[in-house]
Amino acid sequence: MAELTPYICVADSRAAIEWYRAHLGAEVVVDPIVMDDGHVGHCELAVDGARWMMSDAFESAGVAPPDPGRGNAVTLHLTVSDVDALCRRVHDAGATVDRAPEDNPPIGRLAVFHDPFGHRWFLNQPLPEHEPVPESLPEPD
């Protein structure tokens, strides 16, 4: 089985853990591993089973948080049950909403935001499936 798990870097993992817990509803699934210098070397979080890994910056390994002066090379895509509620929650918590919630069939209801740590998130909520409308049949002769 293949799996792809994002591994993000932030300037302050402790603050990011608390923000993601409070505002995305994330849970810590692997406790932070704290390095000798006090930086977080690794931790793992999840929202409804959607996992990501995270660490503080490590210059020696070429790992750095997003540069606010550049665009994001990666967007984190998170499927949620209520895009509107989550978008309001992250906005109220200091996130920048780049794209307000809107329906975009067939993708679903979506929104895009930047968290306070510079990461770009794409929120997606599947739209309810609609029964196809049957084409009208010609009248019998």
Side-chain angles (χ1 to χ4, degrees):
M1 174 172 93
E3 184 175 296
L4 179 65
T5 305
Y7 202 130
I8 66 173
C9 178
V10 294
D12 183 347
S13 287
R14 288 173 181 85
I17 289 168
E18 292 311 311
W19 195 91
Y20 294 139
R21 288 176 72 188
H23 307 295
L24 285 184
E27 64 177 304
V28 176
V29 293
V30 173
D31 287 332
I33 298 169
V34 180
M35 310 308 285
D36 290 340
D37 66 0
H39 287 93
V40 172
H42 180 84
C43 68
E44 295 182 29
L45 297 102
V47 173
D48 292 330
R51 290 173 79 118
W52 70 96
M53 300 175 196
M54 187 171 68
S55 75
D56 286 329
F58 282 93
E59 190 174 322
S60 62
V63 177
D67 178 349
R70 298 179 56 197
N72 293 82
V74 173
T75 297
L76 303 167
H77 181 274
L78 182 62
T79 302
V80 299
S81 60
D82 189 340
V83 164
D84 294 78
L86 188 53
C87 192
R88 271 191 307 277
R89 211 163 61 222
V90 299
H91 175 264
D92 291 347
T96 302
V97 175
D98 301 316
R99 188 171 176 183
E102 64 184 9
D103 289 345
N104 190 344
I107 297 169
R109 186 151 183 83
L110 58 91
V112 178
F113 73 92
H114 275 84
D115 69 30
F117 310 97
H119 291 282
R120 185 174 188 261
W121 294 78
F122 185 108
L123 301 176
N124 180 241
Q125 174 185 341
L127 293 173
E129 296 201 24
H130 299 284
E131 291 292 318
V133 178
E135 294 182 33
S136 57
L137 298 173
E139 293 294 320
D141 291 332

